[in-house]
Amino acid sequence: MYVPAAVGFVFIAVPLAAMLLTVDWANYPALITSEASLDALELSLVTASLSTLLCITLGIPMALVLARSTFRGLRVVRALVLLPLVLPPVVGGIALLYTYGRRGLIGQHLEVFGISIAFSTTAVVVAQTFVALPFLVMSLEGALRTAGHRYENVAATLGARPTTVFRRVTLPLVLPGLASGAVLAFARALGEFGATLTFAGSLQGTTRTLPLEVYLRRETDPDAAVALSLLLIVVALVIVVAVHSRRPKGADQ
């Protein structure tokens, strides 16, 4: 097992090492602190944070329904919720465009009230939430199923209201799963590219997130593209380490 495992590790590590060897370290601070780079980084952090809040707001009820319900068609609902995980991002962007665009299913009605979503910062948040939400739902549903019903049933038997049971029993039990899901959702939102480009476009300071800035710099300034890519890798690495550190003690044994 060590030989194929080593090949797998090398397969992942070599491209990252190649990028490290390509970085123009002498000019690295200047490359990542240009006006366009800082605008893209700020926009990415803000929109990814807002998307994560939306994922938490919508994902907790969704995970509870999937984990605690037994109605007919539950498998179909779960499949629809998880569909963005396997859907090509550009397809998701097109679906959002035909939903919230000016002539979209919902967008055409919003235009009557002067609300335009497509090709705006709001569109970035919507696109990121669309692709990141399944990560939180999947993580939290697993935590809910692992926690079981016993403590909730005991609390209900003692006279606790459903909202009290949820706030004092359910949430504390699944808090590690919720935290891991939120971090994964943030990471997915931060790295979103295809749906954002298709649905929101690429306008500096408005919709051009860091992945879009990397893509544009690849043609005009390869050194800046590599520098910004390394910045994204560092952020992703920090997120992965944060998620891994939340694993229970003894999980590695």
Side-chain angles (χ1 to χ4, degrees):
M1 291 294 102
Y2 284 105
V3 174
V7 173
F9 290 135
V10 170
F11 179 76
I12 295 175
V14 169
L16 301 178
M19 180 175 293
L20 289 174
L21 295 174
T22 308
V23 174
D24 183 3
W25 294 106
N27 298 315
Y28 185 78
L31 292 173
I32 65 172
T33 55
S34 65
E35 182 181 356
S37 299
L38 291 178
D39 285 345
L41 177 60
E42 180 182 2
L43 181 64
S44 292
L45 293 176
V46 170
T47 55
S49 299
L50 292 175
S51 300
T52 303
L53 289 176
L54 272 176
C55 287
I56 293 173
T57 302
L58 301 175
I60 292 177
M62 292 170 67
L64 281 168
V65 170
L66 293 177
R68 297 289 191 256
S69 301
T70 56
F71 60 87
R72 182 178 300 178
L74 182 62
R75 292 184 178 181
V76 176
V77 173
R78 182 180 289 108
L80 289 174
V81 171
L82 301 181
L83 187 60
L85 288 175
V86 296
L87 199 66
V90 66
V91 176
I94 292 176
L96 292 173
L97 189 61
Y98 279 93
T99 303
Y100 300 105
R102 291 182 178 180
R103 298 182 180 180
L105 184 64
I106 297 176
Q108 61 180 332
H109 301 292
L110 295 177
E111 286 289 331
V112 176
F113 300 98
I115 301 175
S116 181
I117 295 180
F119 304 104
S120 65
T121 304
T122 302
V124 178
V125 177
V126 171
Q128 291 176 346
T129 304
F130 180 78
V131 300
L133 184 58
F135 286 86
L136 187 140
V137 174
M138 184 172 58
S139 178
L140 188 55
E141 183 190 357
L144 285 166
R145 291 185 178 277
T146 301
H149 302 262
R150 186 175 64 174
Y151 295 107
E152 295 172 339
N153 292 337
V154 171
T157 302
L158 295 175
R161 296 181 177 181
T163 53
T164 303
V165 174
F166 173 74
R167 180 170 49 88
R168 300 292 296 274
V169 179
T170 306
L171 274 184
L173 282 175
V174 300
L175 192 59
L178 175 60
S180 297
V183 172
L184 289 174
F186 179 83
R188 181 65 185 88
L190 190 66
E192 169 50 33
F193 173 79
T196 302
L197 181 61
T198 306
F199 181 47
S202 179
L203 304 173
Q204 183 177 342
T206 303
T207 64
R208 187 179 300 170
T209 58
L210 200 54
L212 295 179
E213 183 68 21
V214 171
Y215 178 77
L216 292 176
R217 293 290 190 94
R218 184 178 61 90
E219 299 293 338
T220 59
D221 192 353
D223 290 337
V226 173
L228 294 175
S229 298
L230 180 61
L231 180 60
L232 278 173
I233 290 176
V234 171
V235 173
L237 182 62
V238 170
I239 291 172
V240 170
V241 172
V243 172
H244 182 77
S245 65
R246 292 181 178 277
R247 295 177 61 183
K249 293 182 179 181
D252 296 328
Q253 300 178 358

